[in-house]
Amino acid sequence: RALGEPSAAAPTVTVFWGEPDGGTTPGAWDASVDLGVSAEGPLSTTVTGLSIDTTYYYRYYATNANGEAWADSAAGLTTDPDFTQFTHALPITFDGYDRAETLVDFPALVQLNEFTVPCFGYDQFTHPSNGADLRFADATGQALNYEVEQWDSAGTSLVWVQVPALSAGTTITAYWGNASAAANPPAYTTDGSAWSEEYVGVWHFNEDSGTVFDSSGNGLHGTPVDDVI
């Protein structure tokens, strides 16, 4: 019988994890945890020794006497940064929203520049060329997903920040200036994490020609027609 048939023996499950996505090659992962024999249903385990502000991937593998199978794809998670290690912080309050409804996982546009944002300077970044040390957190200190639509160290940068619960007066905080930050922005800034599953596609139309890229993570890229762009 196939591995997934109800009458098949319960499989032994292993979760593989690490900084690189090892795919379906066990030796390509940094580590693994044997979860033992598991019936159908949710699985969980505790992993220790993770580095701060780091993206890790994980993927489940199951096997029994009838065969073996991997989860369809790897999932990713990013550990929270240590916000005390950032030299600059800027509270951002959304005071223009006056509706009674609280917006959940709302992508809010944050504009950063040296002309209208007090005490903000690109030279304060460890990586001013791409803003790799930029981070956001809500009032509880939880790190927030974001996507940089445009980074312009000589002008205005456009950043979409996923706010977990936005209502009148909601405040989040932008952090930057961290000497230990990696030279490249976190993976969640480019994989569609800033957009909830309700967004089928997100197109900024910043391209002068060629492919119009979908930021939602669903890969629904477009092609300009009749030189519209």
Side-chain angles (χ1 to χ4, degrees), residues 105 107 147 160 162 192-199 202 204 215-217:
D105 289 338
E147 175 197 304
W160 295 90
Q162 188 183 58
S193 295
W195 309 93
S196 73
E197 60 185 16
E198 302 299 326
Y199 287 84
V202 177
H204 299 301
S215 292
S216 72

Side-chain angles (χ1 to χ4, degrees), residues 42-141:
L43 293 171
S44 65
T45 188
T46 300
V47 175
T48 61
L50 301 180
S51 300
I52 62 172
D53 201 21
T54 302
T55 298
Y56 293 91
Y57 297 92
Y58 62 93
R59 193 168 188 173
Y60 288 95
Y61 168 78
T63 181
N64 64 12
N66 300 305
E68 60 181 7
W70 287 86
D72 290 340
S73 61
L77 61 88
T78 301
T79 54
D80 283 344
D82 179 357
F83 289 112
T84 66
Q85 300 302 307
F86 290 80
T87 58
H88 293 79
L90 175 69
I92 300 170
T93 300
F94 301 98
D95 53 11
Y97 181 67
D98 59 2
R99 301 295 181 89
E101 177 188 6
T102 296
L103 304 179
V104 178
D105 289 338
F106 184 81
L109 178 61
V110 174
Q111 300 186 46
L112 300 172
N113 62 60
E114 298 177 337
F115 317 111
T116 62
V117 181
C119 303
F120 177 85
Y122 288 105
D123 60 356
Q124 300 161 351
F125 283 76
T126 301
H127 303 291
S129 63
N130 62 1
D133 48 316
L134 178 65
R135 299 292 185 273
F136 294 89
D138 65 11
T140 69

